[in-house]
Structure formats: C-alpha cells, structure tokens
Amino acid sequence: MMASSTAISANAASEGVKIEHLGVNNTLVRVESDGKYLMMPVQESNDDATVNVVVDGNLERTIFVRLAKSKVDYTVPFDLTPYKGHDVILNIVTSQSRSSVRDAQDDACWGNFSVADSFNTDNREKYRPAFHHAPKYGWMNDPNGMVYKDGVWHLYYQWNPYGSKWQNMTWGHATSTDLINWKQMPAAIEPNGLGAVFSGSCALDPRNTSGFGSNSIVALYTSAATSQVQSLAHSTDNGKTFEIYPGNPIITLDSEARDPNIFWNHHTGEWNMMLAHALEHEMLVFASENLKEWNLRSSFGKGFGAQGGVWECPDLFELTVEGTGEKKWMLICNLNPGGPFGGSAAQYFIGDFDGTTFTPDTDADGKVPTKWMDFGKDHYATVSWSDAPHNRRTVIGWMSNWQYAAEVPTMQFRSANTLPRDITLFRAADGQIYVKTLPAAEIEALRKKSIHSSKSFSVNKNSRQIALPSANNGICEIILNIDAKKAGNVTLELGNKLGNKVTMIFNPEESTISFDRRESGIVDFSQDFPAVTVAPTFSDKNKLSLRLFIDRSSIELFDTDGKFVMTNLVFPQEPYTTLSVKSDNKAQISGLQIFPLNPASL
Ligand code: FRU
C-alpha cells in the first residue's frame, strides 16, 4: 500500500532525510539530499530493526540495525555513493512493542538520521589496541580468508559494518606489508541472495585450475541463511573486490557445515578442503581439481580431542618438526564451547595426511591427545595465511571469546586480533609433537629503546618493583629469564595505583604458569570474564624465559622459545604502571628488558 498523506511526518531534526511513519512497526526514511553516507543511529541494547534498502523502487538489500529507541550510542554509516542520482528509501520494520504510531514516533533514532559527506573513523576509545589489528568501527569476529600476494598480507575478517555486535556478516578487509601496520579497505564480500558471508579461505591459483585466471585470488566461504552452503568467488584486482560465482552454492549438505578451508596439495596435485561439520564434531575432507566441483573423501574428529559444542574454522597444513626435518600435518579445529577455560578455543591435532584421510598421532597409551594452541581465554578462530612467503606458516586469531565478546567495554568497535604468529613444530620430552608459536619477527620494529636493562638480580619474598613505561598508555614488550633455583613459585605482577592487577605465577614444580585477571580492572560485564588461566611451561631445570606484549586491553604471554602462548584480554581502569617480581624462595632474574612500543598505524 502506498504511504498516504495521513502518514505522520516527524522530527524535523533529521538532516537530509524525510521520515514517514506508516504504522506501529513500520517507517520509511527517504534520502532527500546528496551526500556520501546515510548515518544511522544505534542503541546497542535495542533489538535489530529490519532495514530494507529500496533503490528506485527495487529492493537492493536488507540489513539489520539496532536502531536507537531511548538514546543514541553511536551512528553507523550506510554508503550512498553507489546510488548517487537514484532514489533511496529505507523501508524499516522494527520489532518494538508499541501501542500506537505516536509511540513509535518517539524513538530516538528518527531525529538522528542524517546525510553526511564524511564519517570520522578516528577512534579514541581507551581500550582500542595500539598495535593489534582491529576494525575502525563495527563488530569483528573470525579472521578468515587470509592470503599473501605480491608483498601484501591480506586479512579478511567477519565484520558487521552496521553496529558493534554480531550481525550482517560481511568480509571486512585490511592489508599490510609488514604484519604490523594495517590499512582498512572497503568491504570485500557482502551478503547476497544466498545469505550472509561467513568464514572461509582464499588461495592463489597460479595453475589456473579454476579458469578464473592465473593471477586471481579464489575465495571459498559459507553462505548462511536458513541453511549453510558453500560459495565461491574470485578476485582479479588483488583481493579488493570479488566476483561471486554464478553457480553458487557449490557444496550443499543436509546438515550444518561451514568455514571451508582450501589449499593446494602439492603431494597429490589437487585441491583439498576441510569443512567444519559443526554439530557432528568433525571436519570433512574434500578434494577438487578445479575449485568448483568437490568430492567428499573422509571425515575426522568424532571421538577425538575436546568435542565441545560446535567445531568451526578448520585449517590443515604441513610443517617441519624443528631440528629433525621430519614433516607432519597440523589440523586446527576451533571449537565453541569446550575450551580449557570455558567458551571458545583453538585445539589442534598432529598427524599424517595423504590427501584423503587425516590420521592423528597417538601418545604412549595409544590415545589421541588433546592439544591447545593457546592457553588464555581470548584466542579463537585461528587460521593461517595462504601462500605466505619463505615457507612461513603465519597464523592470527580472534582475540576474544564467544562467552563475552559482545559485552566487552568498547563501543565504536568490538574485538581485535592477536599478534600475527609464526608456527613450527617441536618434539617435547613426553615424545609428543607440539606447536611452537612465536610472535612474527616484524613486531620488533615497534620497539623503542629499552627503559630497563638491569643485569641479573635475585628476588625473594619481598617483591622488587620495576616501573613500566607511561607513554602511549604504557604499551610495551617485556622480556625476562627466570631461574627459580630451589623450585619455589615465582610471581610476576602488573599493577596500578587503583589496585588493578594481573598476577602470573610460575610454578616450577608443576611446570606451569598461571595468569589471574580476576582483579585486572573492569571484569564485571560478564561472569565468565574473571578467570585464572594456566599453561604448561615445558620447562626443565626450573628455568623459564618470557616475552610479554602489553597493549591497551590485552596481554600476550609467550615462552621465548615458543613452547606455549597465553592470550588474555584485560580492561585496566588505568594502564598498569609497575611490574613487581617476587619468589617463595630465592630466584634469579636475568636479561630483563622493557621496551616501550610505538603505536602501529591501524
Ligand atoms: C566462528 C563462527 C564461524 C562462522 C562465523 C560467523 O566464530 O561461528 O563458524 O563462519 O563465526 O560469523
């Protein structure tokens, strides 16, 4: 039915738009002036409104936006530039319970739509990372589809451009030439008729097996609507834009399956894909000659490792066991929930793969051991870059946890990624092969001159206090070696004058290190946030060497040799200013260096 002249026009405050209320839950927003963006007012605690974007009378797309009811938290831009010269109307259906149109008219959003030529993405939020990739605005979860091409590291990610909670899944895109500084690019793949664009992967196709051209980047991703199906797209402009394959979907199953991860298997001369059979706790193995037609070969997972809730975001690749030349395959199986400290986490299996079947290694008892890539709470959906140079296997993870990702105290953006990490394998004293994880070497370029380089000193029950840098909210890297001598616990504490603290305890007897963030700052936004996480240190002779990266809202604790890593978010009310070190018995600390870091360009 046409909007009649009796529709109530409201809120003269809106700029460049005309608002027409059609009913208690239905309003038209007409764009009436030229400009690059239609700014939409969001209130995070509100439900999603269904926003149908109608261009020249045709439905262009439907997005879901938490339009403001009682107050505006922030505004998000809808890009009008593709529709310049055309009529744009938002036909909005809200889901509020209201008794009359007059009631609906009072919503805070209507007076706060505007047409603007610029959108300021400068983000001065206190907890915005200074050297970890984060979107300029909007929600982010999984990094996915990462590929390296011609000197550029492409990072795609699950992005909501229209709010800081999960919705409207789109492949966001950032590029870097050094894995430190990231440039935000326009969205790479947007929702279409088959659904939202969930996680997937990219690969170069130099043999032109797909026929899309030898210089193209091929992407596989999950189209998610009522069901989840697998789709194909390719880019001929170095990953900036993707052309959607008209034959999509290319894989359909009668059960939930997602996050296709593809790679060229140079042993067999064909493509392989791992696909998460989410509710079945298994990864499906497919093979293909042309990236379009896929054959199901086998599955792996049922009954192995942590089973948890859903299995998601697989990755499979071959690595060398350090010092031996032995080759093994590493299969990453992210799962949620079921992580070692609750919620989501990344587990992995080491084994063999012949292009058809993944066969996991067993331990001395013939069992398949459960292994974790990271021993913190905030490391998920970790996958690797395809086609990285110099045989590198570089991974990055989402630095959050599905338990509370949507509640963390940020606003204009939500979630960052871990530092990029290079992985190889090592064989430990228990005979098992584990992943070895080091921060990408490029990160050292952020170091300023060390503000502390004491020679060796000893600590006992009285703690030794060391000042942390103050510039740039205290972002820094700390390196130190601990010799716990008589096997007493050694405690490292990061603290500030407000009493916010993070306590890390090296227990040499048990070969563990724990990380207690229960008093780290703001912790009350979720009952699952205050926590103690524990990592095995694999240390012998009571020694441990650590590298800590402290950003504005995260701490990554690496074993210097890469035998474990632990990633935890923290939200201190003020930056931590002091490192204190103490020991139950006498312990020796050597090689302590504290490097203030330069912020990256993000
Ligand atoms: C993992 C995940 C994926 C899915 C994506 C949707 O965090 O659930 O399985 O593709 O997020 O955003």
Side-chain angles (χ1 to χ4, degrees), residues 199-429:
S199 283
S201 58
C202 285
L204 305 184
D205 184 17
R207 294 163 202 82
N208 195 19
T209 61
S210 60
F212 294 134
S214 59
N215 197 32
S216 60
I217 297 178
V218 180
L220 261 94
Y221 61 90
T222 301
S223 292
T226 308
S227 302
Q228 298 180 353
V229 295
Q230 313 317 314
S231 290
L232 180 65
H234 78 278
S235 171
T236 49
D237 60 2
N238 291 318
K240 211 170 155 216
T241 60
F242 283 82
E243 203 175 304
I244 307 298
Y245 181 56
N248 285 340
I250 55 164
I251 298 178
T252 58
L253 298 172
D254 61 7
S255 51
E256 220 170 279
R258 55 179 175 268
D259 313 336
N261 189 282
I262 53 168
F263 64 95
W264 175 254
N265 188 330
H266 66 92
H267 297 290
T268 58
E270 60 181 3
W271 293 96
N272 276 126
M273 175 204 292
M274 303 301 288
L275 185 65
H277 209 193
L279 301 168
E280 305 296 323
H281 308 129
E282 63 182 9
M283 300 303 183
L284 303 176
V285 181
F286 287 80
S288 171
E289 284 176 2
N290 59 12
L291 290 164
K292 293 170 183 155
E293 287 125 5
W294 292 89
N295 296 310
L296 178 60
R297 289 265 172 89
S298 73
S299 65
F300 168 80
K302 275 209 168 82
F304 292 126
Q307 293 286 290
V310 286
W311 280 32
E312 305 181 313
C313 306
D315 199 357
L316 176 64
F317 40 80
E318 197 177 30
L319 292 174
T320 305
V321 183
E322 284 206 342
T324 68
E326 186 187 358
K327 300 267 190 197
K328 278 286 176 182
W329 289 77
M330 175 169 168
L331 172 62
I332 300 178
C333 301
N334 289 281
L335 89 175
N336 176 42
F341 311 107
S344 42
Q347 72 170 324
Y348 68 96
F349 299 90
I350 301 297
D352 298 305
F353 180 63
D354 60 6
T356 294
T357 309
F358 177 80
T359 311
D361 283 2
T362 50
D363 61 16
D365 301 329
K367 296 211 175 80
V368 175
T370 304
K371 295 174 181 169
W372 302 104
M373 287 187 80
D374 189 291
F375 292 88
K377 275 198 77 139
D378 300 301
H379 172 271
Y380 192 55
T382 305
V383 287
S384 67
W385 260 273
S386 178
D387 301 280
H390 316 303
N391 246 334
R392 277 174 89 165
R393 187 54 65 171
T394 308
V395 299
I396 196 165
W398 177 45
M399 202 157 49
S400 198
N401 190 313
W402 277 115
Q403 283 182 326
Y404 44 72
E407 316 303 331
V408 299
T410 62
M411 206 38 121
Q412 187 173 324
F413 78 102
R414 248 194 212 101
S415 296
N417 284 314
T418 65
L419 288 175
R421 301 162 177 193
D422 285 313
I423 58 173
T424 57
L425 300 175
F426 74 100
R427 194 179 285 277

Side-chain angles (χ1 to χ4, degrees), residues 37 46 54 57 59 66 72 84 89 94-95 116 119 253 259 268 282 295 298 308 324 342 346 418 461 464 502 574 598:
Y37 305 107
N46 217 8
V54 178
L59 179 63
R66 292 170 181 267
V72 178
K84 201 170 162 47
I89 296 179
T94 58
S95 58
F119 170 56
L253 298 172
D259 313 336
T268 58
E282 63 182 9
N295 296 310
S298 73
T324 68
T418 65
K461 286 203 167 63
R464 170 122 171 194
V502 168
E574 281 176 15
N598 285 309

Side-chain angles (χ1 to χ4, degrees), residues 4-18:
S4 74
S5 54
T6 53
I8 303 166
S9 291
N11 280 316
S14 286
E15 282 166 42
V17 301
K18 186 172 164 211

